[in-house]
Amino acid sequence: MKNGLPLTAKELEAALVSNPTAAQVVNSFADSQISTQFYSGSNELVIEKVFSTLFGRTPDAGEKAKWLAKLNGGEVSRRYLPLAILNSAAGSDKDLLAKKAALAAAYIAASSAPPQTIELWEQETSRALLATVELEADETLFTPLAKAAVRRFETEAFAPILPPPVGTIYGFSSYKFLPGSVLMCATKARKSRLVDYLVSAKAVAISEAAGLAKQKFSIWHEDCVSINNGRSFAFDDGGNATLTIGTSIAKFTADQVSQALQGQAIADATFRRSVKFQAYSIAKADGSKAYLLVERAVGEGGSTEFLTAWIQK
């Protein structure tokens, strides 16, 4: 407890028994239109939704049977099911919840509105944000990410690297945590695209082709979904690069790679564009390094501009 307020699920559960005010607050969320709509359907479906929301996974057969018996037997109600499952978290599930709580705290701190008056668009933004948290997410990115997430594209000073799709009014619609970094995407008419990204303070910028020597990137992102479909960006011993997309191949000399890493656009005749690179190395807990490569490209004639983020397997 801190200042009389519960800080853990167990403390909250105890407070609900002895503190009518705490119970009223929890019930107001449980009985809200958003909550009742989200947790609709059969008891089995509700259990799956709770596990997905809290832990980002589906319950195994034993877990589903356990909570289904509790619901059907009246031991726990739908109103308190999320709290009961949260309170039972252990191991990696508990670790993930701790990260979600840290990001939620950063989001609340970044928002100028008290939690009870947050607008609907902010509720949608916060849900999209928390849904992307993974165990490997770098917590040093939480505060800057939360600050970016709550700002409106069209009415506040924050400007993403690329403009959001025409018609997008509020914040980012999806996110993707990568080693030492996070991607931020915007969506219009169900089409999502990468418009900005953040890197950890632990990331080291690479400004010369030699820093990418012998590295190969095979997972790419033009939005916030990881895709591995035969595309690759490979660098040889000297830092010369080969970009392969299907049967098309573009090659860049080490000098060109260095120019692009230093902010100078280089021509890519194969894909009819000009492109700049940003690359980073990120130290991992086991002592190895992960790499991130970002392309900022402009199509021939300046008609299209887009970001692509590459990581390794």
Side-chain angles (χ1 to χ4, degrees), residues 251-252 256 265-269 273-275:
K251 291 184 176 292
F252 307 98
Q256 288 178 309
I266 59 173
D268 177 359
R273 62 180 189 158
S274 62
V275 63

Side-chain angles (χ1 to χ4, degrees), residues 145-179:
L145 175 59
K147 289 180 179 179
V150 300
R151 294 175 180 171
R152 305 183 185 193
F153 281 135
E154 295 184 357
T155 61
E156 294 194 12
F158 178 79
I161 292 176
L162 296 186
V166 175
T168 301
I169 299 176
Y170 301 127
F172 303 103
S173 57
S174 56
Y175 309 83
K176 178 65 178 178
F177 279 97
L178 304 176

